[in-house]
Amino acid sequence: MLTTEQLAGFRLQLLKEKDEIEERLEQNDHYGLERGHYHESMGELSSYDNHPADEGTDLYEREKDIALNQHTDLQLLNINRALEAMENGTYGTCEVCGKEIPFERLEALPNTIYCKEHSPDQVVSHDRPIEEGVLMPPFGKFDMDSKDENVAFDAEDSWQIVSQWGTSDTPSDLAFPQEHYNDVNNEPDENEGYVEDFENFVGNDIYGNNITVYPNSQHERYEQSLDEEGIMTSFGDLPAYEHDPYVDDDK
């Protein structure tokens, strides 16, 4: 049971803390939230001429002000509840179980009206940021490589194309160092926008006829790989006069 002197000391401490919080909120207009849109706190009239990075910084600061304001309001609410409990003669006992709150806990947290076991602040949230549903794994739900529809142009393909123009990585940053800076990106040898190698240099009309080969670097690499393997094609059926060399005599 708290003595009269102990109770008076806690009351004085709570009243002093309450006055300081109310004065601070009045001076900073509740962290500038009473000024409406965050542009008003900076003297800006429009976002039109602001860089997106500046807008992002301002938005972050606004979100931080909201969090600080909520934290301060909760702190003020707890102080008022503790002062009300003093008026009712219940200060120092838990509102849930009615047991006496240890003096050491009141010294550390004079605005509490709960014992440690029933404190609402002991619950640890296991909720993850909603952004992780999109951002994880590396390209989130927009990574189609592991799905049947991997022919689609996905987020990884977008990054591969952009990274060709340069990143902060160097050849030594990769598990398998590259010889040229143009190859310092995510899977530089992967086909982009097409699946089979020949799709990059073979064309035809709307009916699938009039097949035309367009010479390019991809076509040269494809022909070189066929020569190295000693074959004429890596797909499809061969004409009869080209088919025999690929059929074993015992079949």
Side-chain angles (χ1 to χ4, degrees):
M1 182 65 68
L2 296 174
T3 64
T4 304
E5 293 181 356
Q6 291 173 336
L7 189 61
F10 286 135
R11 183 192 299 274
L12 182 62
Q13 183 176 350
L14 289 172
L15 290 173
K16 180 180 179 181
E17 186 176 358
K18 179 182 178 181
D19 292 340
E20 291 176 351
I21 292 176
E22 291 177 342
E23 182 180 0
R24 185 166 66 251
L25 290 176
E26 182 179 358
Q27 290 178 348
N28 62 24
D29 294 331
H30 286 259
Y31 296 93
L33 298 180
E34 293 184 352
R35 301 180 185 179
H37 196 277
Y38 66 86
H39 281 160
E40 298 180 22
S41 63
M42 301 178 295
E44 297 284 351
L45 297 178
S46 171
S47 299
Y48 184 79
D49 59 345
N50 287 347
H51 191 279
D54 296 330
E55 285 291 306
T57 300
D58 297 337
L59 179 60
Y60 163 76
E61 292 295 334
R62 188 65 167 182
E63 293 172 341
K64 184 174 67 176
D65 290 338
I66 294 174
L68 291 172
N69 187 70
Q70 291 178 343
H71 175 76
T72 305
D73 286 344
L74 178 60
Q75 187 179 8
L76 190 59
L77 176 63
N78 291 335
I79 292 175
N80 290 329
R81 285 179 176 177
L83 292 173
E84 184 179 352
M86 289 181 180
E87 296 296 331
N88 298 334
T90 59
Y91 182 79
T93 59
C94 178
E95 281 200 353
V96 177
C97 62
K99 293 182 179 179
E100 185 175 345
I101 302 175
F103 180 76
E104 293 77 12
R105 175 171 171 78
L106 292 174
E107 276 189 316
L109 198 64
N111 62 11
T112 185
I113 54 177
Y114 302 100
C115 64
K116 180 180 178 181
E117 289 72 17
H118 296 100
S119 173
D121 297 331
Q122 66 182 342
V123 178
V124 178
S125 175
H126 296 284
D127 295 336
R128 302 299 303 166
I130 192 172
E131 291 82 3
E132 290 186 357
V134 177
L135 300 178
M136 294 179 63
F139 297 97
K141 62 183 181 182
F142 304 107
D143 184 0
M144 306 300 181
D145 284 355
S146 60
K147 302 179 181 179
D148 293 338
E149 57 269 25
N150 58 359
V151 296
F153 187 87
D154 60 8
E156 183 185 28
D157 296 324
S158 299
W159 164 247
Q160 288 170 341
I161 290 178
V162 173
S163 64
Q164 290 181 358
W165 298 95
T167 68
S168 60
D169 294 333
T170 66
S172 61
D173 293 326
L174 305 180
F176 302 97
Q178 303 295 322
E179 297 181 357
H180 198 283
Y181 271 84
N182 291 342
D183 296 329
V184 183
N185 51 67
N186 187 37
E187 299 181 357
D189 297 328
E190 184 180 73
N191 297 333
E192 298 167 359
Y194 58 96
V195 179
E196 300 292 346
D197 293 339
F198 61 86
E199 294 180 11
N200 187 251
F201 54 82
V202 175
N204 53 266
D205 59 22
I206 192 173
Y207 302 105
N209 301 321
N210 301 321
I211 298 177
T212 304
V213 175
Y214 300 95
N216 58 20
S217 58
Q218 182 66 37
H219 177 246
E220 293 179 3
R221 288 195 296 268
Y222 182 74
E223 291 288 348
Q224 182 179 359
S225 65
L226 293 181
D227 292 341
E228 292 175 353
E229 297 181 24
I231 60 178
M232 300 185 65
T233 181
S234 61
F235 63 93
D237 294 329
L238 291 170
Y241 66 91
E242 296 180 353
H243 186 267
D244 292 339
Y246 291 88
V247 179
D248 295 335
D249 295 335
D250 56 349
K251 290 185 180 179

